[in-house]
Amino acid sequence: MKNQLTGSATALQLHAIPAFNDNYIWLLHNGQSAAVVDPGDANPVLQTLKKLNLDLCAILITHHHHDHVGGIADLVAAFPQAVVYGPAQESIPHRQHALAEGDEVDLDRLAIRLQVLDIPGHTAGHIAYFGHNSPEAPILFCGDTLFSGGCGRLFEGTPAQMLESLEKLSALPANTLVCAAHEYTLSNLVWALDVEPDNPQLHDYYQQAGDLRATNTPTLPSTLARELQINPFLRTHIPTVQLNAAKQSGRKAHNRIDVFAQLREWKNNA
Ligand code: ZN
Ligand code: FE
């Protein structure tokens, strides 16, 4: 039976291709055709495509930073049919489809449809892609906005914008696979343990993540359910988080935006 959202009974394969020091370039494929997200470097992508004998049909970009767009030109040269999607409000090399909230990306050859969400904060025009790889497996490509145990730095946005963006992501289904663009998990969790020293889920996850990294295995994708339990930036409503953020900053927070700003400042200096 075909399901309406994916148009296919079989889920796509999802791979994290490591690039640079700590980037992941996400690859979705069905054994023949492939899409990649944020290819900062073409080489590891080309190697993987070759090894798996895949044809690249789409390149999805979340924001304009070089470690996310640097490989586009070489990929398009190798696969001229590949369509490049990116945020409308940012300058993206080779972009053919300029996207903003409410737009959909219909990847025919992969039989998956992705919704575009505006999530400014890390950059002014940052977008995310959300879709259903199967009914049980919603999937989110969130670039440098939501990391496991952390969030992106505010290069072009305000705390209020970033908090709103993270709240938008938090409202997605709890079983959503969170495909973030960096392996920052362990260092985020070390800091998160300072924010919430008595969070048992956080302690468990820190163990798990440490075991994974010890064998160089990605900690990603995470799930939204887990992030809601352990990621301080999604927990500005929790009294312990509020208390410790205020203590660390030496200021009183008047609302959750203040709490978020205190956390972001704390993490920047951690
Ligand atoms: Zn970035
Ligand atoms: Fe990045």
Side-chain angles (χ1 to χ4, degrees):
M1 195 181 76
K2 288 201 166 191
N3 94 56
Q4 236 201 324
L5 284 160
T6 66
S8 147
T10 347
L12 300 168
Q13 301 272 330
L14 177 69
H15 287 279
I17 304 175
F20 307 117
N21 279 335
D22 50 35
N23 281 72
Y24 290 129
I25 299 166
W26 292 95
L27 173 81
L28 267 179
H29 76 87
N30 61 6
Q32 289 177 319
S33 300
V36 289
V37 184
D38 288 350
D41 185 359
N43 289 327
V45 177
L46 290 169
Q47 281 167 23
T48 305
L49 293 171
K50 192 173 174 194
K51 193 173 80 190
L52 300 176
N53 197 21
L54 298 170
D55 183 26
L56 186 65
C57 65
I59 299 172
L60 307 172
I61 302 297
T62 64
H63 69 292
H64 68 86
H65 286 159
H66 187 74
D67 62 312
H68 300 252
V69 304
I72 299 174
D74 285 350
L75 290 175
V76 169
F79 294 92
Q81 308 298 328
V83 180
V84 181
Y85 300 86
Q89 290 181 56
E90 299 191 353
S91 153
I92 307 294
H94 301 273
R95 185 189 59 208
Q96 290 156 275
H97 290 272
L99 304 172
E101 178 114 2
D103 288 335
E104 285 194 339
V105 175
D106 208 339
L107 300 177
D108 275 353
R109 285 170 57 195
L110 293 175
I112 190 170
R113 212 160 57 209
L114 300 166
Q115 294 170 270
V116 176
L117 304 170
D118 283 336
I119 49 166
H122 176 67
T123 61
H126 199 304
I127 60 172
Y129 300 87
F130 172 78
H132 286 77
N133 189 19
S134 74
E136 322 73 57
I139 189 167
L140 172 71
F141 299 105
C142 50
D144 285 357
T145 296
L146 176 60
F147 297 125
S148 187
C151 75
R153 285 177 187 256
L154 304 183
F155 288 119
E156 300 172 10
T158 63
Q161 281 179 319
M162 190 59 146
L163 182 61
E164 195 185 334
S165 295
L166 292 172
E167 281 175 347
K168 194 184 283 184
L169 300 182
S170 300
L172 295 172
N175 60 343
T176 299
L177 293 177
V178 176
C179 301
H182 289 273
E183 179 64 64
Y184 291 156
T185 309
L186 273 187
S187 64
N188 285 339
L189 296 183
V190 169
W191 167 77
L193 282 163
D194 281 343
V195 182
E196 279 194 280
D198 299 322
N199 178 338
Q201 282 98 3
L202 182 53
H203 283 275
D204 288 351
Y205 180 44
Y206 179 62
Q207 284 288 340
Q208 283 175 41
D211 291 347
L212 289 170
R213 293 313 294 148
T215 57
N216 207 25
T217 308
T219 59
L220 299 169
S222 185
T223 62
L224 197 55
R226 175 196 282 140
E227 294 309 312
L228 291 169
Q229 289 181 329
I230 62 91
N231 190 326
F233 292 107
L234 305 186
R235 295 170 64 76
T236 51
H237 57 291
I238 303 288
T240 308
V241 173
Q242 296 174 349
L243 191 76
N244 287 333
K247 214 188 270 179
Q248 180 71 21
S249 73
R251 296 191 311 271
K252 194 170 161 351
H254 298 283
N255 50 47
R256 289 178 52 197
I257 298 169
D258 288 349
V259 178
F260 177 85
Q262 290 171 349
L263 289 171
R264 191 55 266 178
E265 204 177 285
W266 185 357
K267 180 66 177 71
N268 286 350
N269 301 314

